[in-house]
Amino acid sequence: MGGGAQAKGRTAAGALLAAIRGEQQPVRRLLPTRLVVRASTAPPPPPGRRAEAAARNRGDGPSGTP
């Protein structure tokens, strides 16, 4: 995902400076993002295999390894 490193840095720096000044900060900040599809992006697994793939990604699949 891309979202503009400069915008993220500006937002983070502004939040840090405000916190140093003792200003109240919002709990969450939402920044715009965009999905960047690259050649390494895999298609989703078929519907019947999604739970199995999710378990494998967590490391608790049948083989015990991700």
Side-chain angles (χ1 to χ4, degrees):
M1 298 193 84
Q6 287 184 336
K8 290 178 187 176
R10 262 193 306 277
T11 299
L16 177 61
L17 291 172
I20 291 170
R21 291 190 298 263
E23 298 172 7
Q24 184 139 5
Q25 296 294 301
V27 175
R28 181 183 296 180
R29 294 180 190 270
L30 297 177
L31 300 175
T33 60
R34 62 185 170 85
L35 177 63
V36 179
V37 179
R38 297 188 168 99
S40 61
T41 304
R49 308 273 314 229
R50 288 185 182 150
E52 181 182 317
R56 189 171 44 253
N57 290 337
R58 287 190 309 268
D60 60 356
S63 66
T65 58

